[in-house]
Amino acid sequence: MITRRQTLTLSLGAAAGIGLARFGVAPALAQAKPAIALPPLGYPNEALEPHIDATTMMIHHDRHHAAYVNALNGLVEKYPDLATKAPAQIMADPAQIPEAVRQAVRNNLGGHYNHSFFWELMTPGGAKAPGGDLRLAIDAAFGTLETLQDKVNAAGLSRFGSGWAWLVVGKDKKLDIMSTPNQDTPLETGAKPVLGVDVWEHAYYLKYQNKRADYLKGWWNVVNWDKAAENFAKAKG
Ligand code: MN3
């Protein structure tokens, strides 16, 4: 996707290149490489059907996530840390973001971080349940996997408007369930995400309309438990 600004840069670069070529200098075309790139989905749009439909995945990734990334690239000039610091590092301490761009960065970098996390947390044909250390920790904290799922679903259902439901390793290093509004991340509370589910209407409305509970129920079928186990190992530190 090429933004208007990049198109302008490209045409200026091309014009400069032509000018230089006339003098026998190799044209140095401007590389329109944005500072922040939209990560590709690791699977086709239709891979998560019937639980999440291909059109929803296409719009969600190619348009919603792309819009966050485009907005971020428009903010880099005003806040160059965007190009050099990891999103998680910035989102862990939003107070350090210059006030003039803070809300825009929270929205768009939060959106970029959350969605990048979310795409990897889903997979076609994954394990039906977690194993290893993560399973032991879930059983210890919640009793059963079903209890954990009920609690995450309840957190997602009770989120008024748009946001996310999460399983996290809290600052106290214990598993916990939380919900964040809009594109806020758990990071600013000192928590590290293990699992997260998008409960914005754009994540489910085409297939499930107003039935967020049915979407959440279906979502568990596409969870990538191997990735969740990896997130858990990292979060425990
Ligand atoms: Mn979303």
Side-chain angles (χ1 to χ4, degrees):
M1 189 169 302
I2 294 181
T3 64
R4 197 163 160 266
R5 173 193 289 256
Q6 284 160 0
T7 310
L8 194 63
T9 313
L10 275 173
S11 355
L12 289 173
I18 291 161
L20 289 170
R22 278 168 56 199
F23 296 97
V25 178
L29 287 179
Q31 292 292 309
K33 191 171 176 286
I36 297 144
L38 177 67
L41 276 182
Y43 39 79
N45 288 331
E46 66 274 18
L48 306 180
E49 292 200 349
H51 307 292
I52 303 182
D53 61 286
T55 307
T56 295
M57 288 302 289
M58 184 277 285
I59 295 174
H60 201 173
H61 177 271
D62 297 0
R63 301 190 196 161
H64 288 276
H65 190 172
Y68 300 126
V69 170
N70 287 341
L72 285 175
N73 284 311
L75 290 166
V76 169
E77 224 170 280
K78 287 185 190 152
Y79 182 41
D81 284 10
L82 282 172
T84 55
K85 282 191 183 172
Q89 195 188 346
I90 295 174
M91 293 308 293
D93 186 13
Q96 66 173 326
I97 304 167
E99 206 179 339
V101 294
R102 190 175 301 148
Q103 193 57 49
V105 170
R106 283 180 76 96
N107 293 344
N108 293 294
L109 191 61
H112 177 46
Y113 174 86
N114 288 339
H115 286 86
S116 302
F117 181 89
F118 187 54
W119 308 134
E120 291 194 345
L121 191 68
M122 298 187 287
T123 187
K128 290 282 165 247
D133 282 356
L134 176 56
R135 184 53 183 260
L136 293 174
I138 287 172
D139 288 348
F142 304 102
T144 65
L145 176 62
E146 290 68 32
T147 309
L148 161 76
Q149 290 171 324
D150 288 346
K151 286 181 185 240
V152 171
N153 293 354
L157 274 174
S158 62
R159 166 54 54 199
F160 185 78
S162 299
W164 293 75
W166 304 95
L167 171 69
V168 299
V169 173
K171 216 167 25 177
D172 58 4
K173 295 282 169 195
K174 288 183 181 156
L175 278 181
D176 195 12
I177 286 156
M178 66 184 292
S179 163
T180 56
N182 306 313
Q183 294 299 355
D184 289 1
T185 77
L187 301 168
E188 64 189 274
T189 70
K192 305 237 169 71
V194 176
L195 281 169
V197 57
D198 189 341
V199 298
W200 285 57
E201 282 187 344
H202 68 224
Y204 63 87
Y205 206 85
L206 284 183
K207 181 177 170 70
Y208 294 95
Q209 292 86 46
N210 57 316
K211 300 182 207 98
R212 190 186 282 185
D214 290 355
Y215 157 67
L216 285 165
K217 203 171 144 202
W219 179 75
W220 291 100
N221 291 291
V222 298
V223 167
N224 183 343
W225 285 108
D226 292 337
K227 186 66 192 177
E230 200 185 303
N231 294 339
F232 177 61
K234 244 192 269 172
K236 272 193 316 178

